[in-house]
Amino acid sequence: MAYIILLSKSNDLHLVSEFRPIAITCVSGKIFFSVMSDRLQVFMLRNNYISRDIQKGFLAGMPGCIEHTFTLLEALRDAKESHRQIVITWLDLANAYGSIRHNLIQFALNWFHVPKLIQELIFDYYEKLCAMIFTNNWSTGFFLFDIGLFQGCVLSTILFDCVFQLLLDFLQPKKCLGYEFKSTPAVKTFNKAYADDLTLITTNSNDMQTAVNETNIWLKWSQTMKAKPTKCVALGFKVFDKKIKNERFTPITNTVYAPFDPGVSIDGEHMKFIVNPAEKDPFKANHFKFLGRWINPLLQEKDIKSKIRSLFLKDIETIQNSKVNGFMKLWLYQFYAISHLSWPFMINDLDRSFSLDLQAEVNVQLKRWAGIGRSVDNGLLFRSKLNLDLA
């Protein structure tokens, strides 16, 4: 049995689909299924059933976000430098966790030759799952959980990977459609997955439509899983020759090599282009967030740097307005503001001068909090305890 708490994904609290159901289960069950989850993951990886170069989600010790974003950005840079066509789509599934049938889990476990004892144990577990939705104002009675995985169950992550691997294996025959690096012809990238976030990379829009159609065929085969076209995004780059009058696509810039909408559709609906004029936020209207990294259709970092800077200065303002003394503000700067900066600097290609500019901008505030003069050498703020630091 589990108690489910609803966490809102947006400000629209009238739609059930805009809530994330987090299941709270008993501690002893979590310990038991944690052991099973770890062993099942080892079994899948050692037998090469899960492609670690493609699927990075939920796998222990796997820096998936960094590897996937690096690969994708390198492919985009390679295409731009060599003026080669490339098309990318980011596919999103509707209620991916909650739409997996329990029989599909059993099919996946049997397909990957998981021992029968484990299959039967997982079948017995999911056959008897009960849950109750609990809120501050109301709650439901216990009901059978007939479809989907518990979000919050320690076993759910590896089971989702097992099911999603069926789709990745289904797409393997189409990997020849992937983008081949000009600088290293032996390297080709076609699909990247992080849990249910699937990224497809091809050399033209026709090949991309073929790959997306294959994905949709598998989703329809599952009967309950389906794409969410409103969240699917497409982007293409190619050389536009002004002499060609019957050009199918329209570039968004006047440059020879320009981004364009590849016109890919899924399940009969047109995918959104990465540039979305309908978006109220001007930054989000020209950027797409891929595993924590913002991607600009012109592959520029200027606006991304501005956003990082504004968020950093907002943290500094929050610390400044806090009702603590100066040295506590320095502590908050080190363990709060700097921690917020660590991920953007890890995931983005930010130059050293940008970090130095940020540091120069905040040094005056740090000296004020420390109670030292503005003319004091900045190194006093960052020395170790053995060298007369301020701590």
Side-chain angles (χ1 to χ4, degrees):
M1 296 183 294
Y3 293 91
I4 292 180
I5 296 177
L6 301 177
L7 299 181
S8 60
K9 296 188 289 185
S10 69
N11 294 327
D12 192 348
L13 305 182
H14 299 286
L15 296 176
V16 177
S17 60
E18 291 302 308
F19 286 88
R20 198 181 304 277
I22 303 300
I24 302 174
T25 55
C26 66
V27 175
S28 57
K30 285 183 179 292
I31 295 173
F32 175 78
F33 285 115
S34 291
V35 175
M36 180 181 293
S37 176
D38 291 342
R39 294 186 179 183
L40 183 55
Q41 181 179 146
V42 170
F43 173 84
M44 295 293 291
L45 293 176
R46 285 185 178 177
N47 287 282
N48 295 320
Y49 292 141
I50 292 180
S51 305
R52 279 183 286 189
D53 59 328
I54 300 176
Q55 176 61 274
K56 304 287 187 181
F58 305 135
L59 300 181
M62 183 67 67
C65 294
I66 298 175
E67 291 184 2
H68 275 352
T69 53
F70 178 82
T71 302
L72 179 62
L73 267 294
E74 285 303 307
L76 288 171
R77 290 193 183 104
D78 181 86
K80 183 177 181 180
E81 292 172 1
S82 57
H83 282 198
R84 305 173 76 189
Q85 186 173 174
I86 186 172
V87 177
I88 306 112
T89 58
W90 292 276
L91 305 182
D92 188 74
L93 302 187
N95 190 22
Y97 245 64
S99 60
I100 293 180
R101 290 187 303 157
H102 297 167
N103 282 344
L104 184 57
I105 298 173
Q106 289 298 311
F107 176 86
L109 296 176
N110 187 63
W111 182 266
F112 293 119
H113 310 290
V114 174
K116 290 292 183 182
L117 177 64
I118 304 301
Q119 291 186 41
E120 292 172 0
L121 183 58
I122 294 175
F123 175 82
D124 189 54
Y125 172 45
Y126 273 86
E127 189 70 9
K128 299 175 182 177
L129 281 177
C130 292
M132 180 181 79
I133 298 177
F134 181 83
T135 71
N136 292 333
N137 301 320
W138 56 269
S139 60
T140 67
F142 279 101
F143 55 87
L144 288 174
F145 210 76
D146 290 332
I147 188 172
L149 298 166
F150 271 160
Q151 294 189 43
C153 171
V154 294
L155 186 61
S156 63
T157 53
I158 186 60
L159 292 181
F160 184 88
D161 277 354
C162 290
V163 172
F164 204 75
Q165 188 60 42
L166 295 173
L167 169 59
L168 299 180
D169 290 345
F170 185 75
L171 291 175
Q172 274 300 96
K174 300 298 180 181
K175 65 180 181 180
C176 58
L177 303 178
Y179 177 81
E180 187 178 83
F181 286 78
K182 184 178 181 180
S183 56
T184 52
V187 178
K188 179 177 288 190
T189 179
F190 170 60
N191 55 347
K192 301 295 177 184
Y194 195 92
D196 64 314
D197 294 328
L198 180 61
T199 304
L200 300 177
I201 309 168
T202 63
T203 56
N204 58 68
S205 58
N206 290 334
D207 288 347
M208 178 56 70
Q209 189 62 64
T210 300
V212 171
N213 289 343
E214 288 294 304
T215 303
N216 204 41
I217 288 173
W218 186 90
L219 293 174
K220 289 184 176 181
W221 168 81
S222 71
Q223 296 185 2
T224 52
M225 301 179 72
K226 60 180 180 179
K228 193 173 184 179
T230 56
K231 290 292 186 69
C232 296
V233 178
L235 170 66
F237 288 89
K238 70 185 292 285
V239 173
F240 286 88
D241 189 349
K242 295 182 180 180
K243 297 179 181 179
I244 300 178
K245 297 182 180 180
N246 58 343
E247 176 61 59
R248 175 184 170 189
F249 304 106
T250 303
I252 65 170
T253 64
N254 294 325
T255 56
V256 175
Y257 187 79
F260 67 97
D261 183 355
V264 181
S265 61
I266 185 167
D267 203 19
E269 294 189 40
H270 181 79
M271 285 190 194
K272 293 191 303 183
F273 183 44
I274 191 172
V275 177
N276 183 17
E279 177 63 49
K280 296 180 180 179
D281 188 334
F283 180 83
K284 292 182 179 180
N286 294 291
H287 293 79
F288 175 76
K289 197 172 187 179
F290 172 60
L291 299 181
R293 177 165 183 167
W294 290 101
I295 297 177
N296 180 278
L298 302 179
L299 305 182
Q300 297 176 347
E301 300 279 351
K302 181 180 178 181
D303 291 339
I304 297 173
K305 289 180 180 179
S306 297
K307 185 175 181 64
I308 294 173
R309 177 182 175 275
S310 64
L311 292 175
F312 175 65
L313 294 181
K314 186 177 180 181
D315 285 341
I316 298 300
E317 183 181 358
T318 301
I319 296 174
Q320 171 61 24
N321 295 332
S322 62
K323 306 300 181 180
V324 295
N325 61 42
F327 281 96
M328 281 303 299
K329 290 178 180 179
L330 290 176
W331 188 92
L332 288 172
Y333 170 78
Q334 181 178 356
F335 295 102
Y336 171 71
I338 296 299
S339 296
H340 276 193
L341 273 182
S342 61
W343 178 252
F345 271 83
M346 182 183 296
I347 204 74
N348 293 286
D349 297 330
L350 302 176
D351 51 86
R352 184 170 179 268
S353 62
F354 175 65
S355 62
L356 293 177
D357 291 342
L358 286 181
Q359 189 62 65
E361 197 166 357
V362 78
N363 276 344
V364 175
Q365 189 67 274
L366 296 180
K367 289 179 180 180
R368 185 180 295 115
W369 292 340
I372 59 178
R374 296 181 62 178
S375 60
V376 174
D377 184 80
N378 293 331
L380 182 63
L381 295 167
F382 311 106
R383 291 173 185 165
S384 66
K385 292 183 178 181
L386 298 177
N387 292 283
L388 304 176
D389 76 327
L390 292 172

